[in-house]
Amino acid sequence: MEKKHDFTLSLVVPAYNEEESIQTFIDTIDKELATLSDRLQIVFVNDGSRDRTRQVIEEVITRDPRVTLVNLARNFGKEAAMTAGLFHARGDAVIPMDVDLQDPPALIHEFVRLWQEGYDTVYGVRTDRNADTAMKRVTAGGFYRLFNAVSTTTKIPENAGDFRLMDRRVVEVIKQLPERNRFMKGLFAWAGFNSIGVPYERPARAAGETKFNYWKLWNFALDGFFSFSSWPLRVWSYIGAGVALLSFIYMLVIITKVLFFGIDSPGYASLMCVILFLGGMQLISIGVIGEYLGRMFLEVKQRPVFVVEGIYGQYARDDQQEKA
Ligand code: UDP
Ligand code: MG
């Protein structure tokens, strides 16, 4: 494919309160991707930052025509910000990456090489997560295993993040997905195509601090889990069937006992156990239905995934001219 030797690359970089990281990011890109320099488009998505992120990016734009700023109207979250970036990525291949340099730019050479060999998606696989806390490593590992166990249609490679190179045709598929709940790792994997992983060591954050606390991560995991599996809904049929069968057997036991040994009335403890146990199970199952109902509610409202305040940089001006 000749396009793969005369190609452009878009970096899609969501940024939320990252004023310290933007310039370092650009400097590192210039240093480590010098040979690709002319082929790059850098799409920063300012995800409603409350610090000077926007101003810093605008300063960069005045010096560097490769940079585009997609400025969102408020903080929509990383997944939405990435989605917004994909819509403004022009390259033949698109690379979502974090601005904090935890996704090492040098790896992109390897991504491009494999892409030129014919892979449509080349994703980074974190071999050691020493930069993460032990707690995060354990919970992340558990999440990937559980996700892949219950998700029948989509398997996400363990320890792969959003850092990856995607061919234009994969990006076009992702752009067409209508859902509001955008668990990007899952969506990327859902698209399929010819994929390969590249191992790398994930360094610690270059500056600033993580935007994800455990509560956010927990909810993020739930989003991924519930949007890729209906197993939690269906499992109740099996649990119900199991409980009904046991109850039926127990009923036969009780009837037999009454017929042969007469009525034996004390039964407060066993009754309480059964009532409390079944009550608890019913509440859990209603909670699961609520989980899906709430998500369906959010989907049917059909609100956009993100709102763009404005687009800045050479790309935006070209776009204007094209339309005029
Ligand atoms: N991010 C974002 N919106 C948010 C939270 C994070 O755009 O609401 C960006 C952030 O600026 C960074 C990337 O997502 O470029 C990853 O965030 P972070 O490094 O905090 O996550 P971690 O690496 O700790 O998982
Ligand atoms: Mg990070």
Side-chain angles (χ1 to χ4, degrees):
M1 260 190 258
E2 80 279 14
K3 81 163 198 227
K4 289 195 176 178
H5 292 282
D6 179 25
F7 60 87
T8 53
L9 284 182
S10 297
L11 309 183
V12 169
V13 194
Y16 176 52
N17 296 342
E18 302 278 9
E19 56 183 8
E20 307 118 301
S21 303
I22 307 284
Q23 192 55 52
T24 329
F25 178 81
I26 295 281
D27 294 343
T28 314
I29 293 289
D30 281 337
K31 197 168 85 215
E32 294 185 4
L33 299 182
T35 51
L36 292 170
S37 181
D38 298 336
R39 304 176 184 280
L40 290 183
Q41 176 204 13
I42 304 170
V43 183
F44 283 114
V45 184
N46 176 25
D47 187 16
S49 300
R50 270 173 288 230
D51 64 358
R52 296 190 66 257
T53 301
R54 176 184 178 166
Q55 287 82 337
V56 177
I57 298 173
E58 284 181 335
E59 280 158 31
V60 172
I61 284 177
T62 58
R63 299 187 297 272
D64 193 338
R66 298 171 306 171
V67 177
T68 304
L69 166 63
V70 178
N71 195 44
L72 299 187
R74 62 168 168 83
N75 179 252
F76 281 89
K78 183 185 175 188
E79 309 301 297
M82 240 183 323
T83 306
L86 292 185
F87 277 90
H88 294 280
R90 279 282 170 83
D92 299 309
V94 178
I95 303 174
M97 62 195 294
D98 294 355
V99 72
D100 58 10
L101 294 173
Q102 284 199 283
D103 301 331
L107 204 65
I108 290 175
H109 292 293
E110 182 65 5
F111 284 3
V112 170
R113 193 181 67 73
L114 287 163
W115 173 56
Q116 285 173 327
E117 266 180 26
Y119 290 99
D120 295 294
T121 296
V122 188
Y123 53 87
V125 179
R126 295 167 274 200
T127 49
D128 93 312
R129 300 181 57 139
N130 289 340
D132 291 332
T133 59
M135 170 86 164
K136 188 161 173 190
R137 286 201 297 269
V138 171
T139 48
F143 171 75
Y144 286 115
R145 276 190 294 279
L146 186 64
F147 183 100
N148 288 333
V150 298
S151 163
T152 40
T153 51
T154 310
K155 306 285 174 202
I156 41 179
E158 229 172 280
N159 288 322
D162 297 317
F163 184 37
R164 60 187 60 221
L165 177 148
M166 287 175 287
D167 187 80
R168 168 67 28 204
R169 55 186 188 157
V170 182
V171 177
E172 290 307 318
V173 171
I174 305 289
K175 277 162 65 180
Q176 275 170 27
L177 297 179
E179 59 228 83
R180 330 276 115 187
N181 178 353
R182 302 195 77 82
F183 183 68
M184 295 308 270
K185 275 195 274 281
L187 299 183
F188 293 151
W190 177 89
F193 289 97
N194 202 1
S195 313
I196 189 170
V198 178
Y200 74 101
E201 282 184 19
R202 189 163 172 83
R205 228 178 197 281
E209 54 193 34
T210 175
K211 309 295 181 290
F212 291 92
N213 55 33
Y214 278 107
W215 180 242
K216 265 189 163 182
L217 283 174
W218 164 247
N219 283 301
F220 182 53
L222 289 183
D223 278 347
F225 190 70
F226 286 114
S227 61
F228 277 88
S229 176
S230 59
W231 175 85
L233 276 177
R234 283 179 292 126
V235 73
W236 292 100
S237 315
Y238 296 100
I239 296 177
V243 171
L245 182 68
L246 290 178
S247 309
F248 183 72
I249 296 169
Y250 189 50
M251 185 183 86
L252 294 181
V253 172
I254 294 174
I255 291 175
T256 318
K257 268 168 88 178
V258 170
L259 285 180
F260 291 98
F261 304 103
I263 295 168
D264 160 31
S265 57
Y268 173 77
S270 55
L271 263 181
M272 271 320 260
C273 290
V274 170
I275 290 172
L276 292 178
F277 177 70
L278 287 183
M281 288 237 295
Q282 279 163 354
L283 284 180
I284 296 174
S285 65
I286 291 173
V288 170
I289 296 173
E291 230 4 282
Y292 284 92
L293 193 64
R295 283 161 203 282
M296 282 165 66
F297 173 63
L298 290 180
E299 295 290 338
V300 295
K301 280 194 288 188
Q302 303 232 357
R303 287 188 187 152
V305 176
F306 54 86
V307 177
V308 175
E309 179 274 334
I311 300 165
Y312 306 90
Q314 188 59 44
Y315 161 86
R317 290 189 287 275
D318 291 349
D319 215 35
Q320 285 278 310
Q321 257 165 14
E322 246 167 60
K323 281 185 192 136

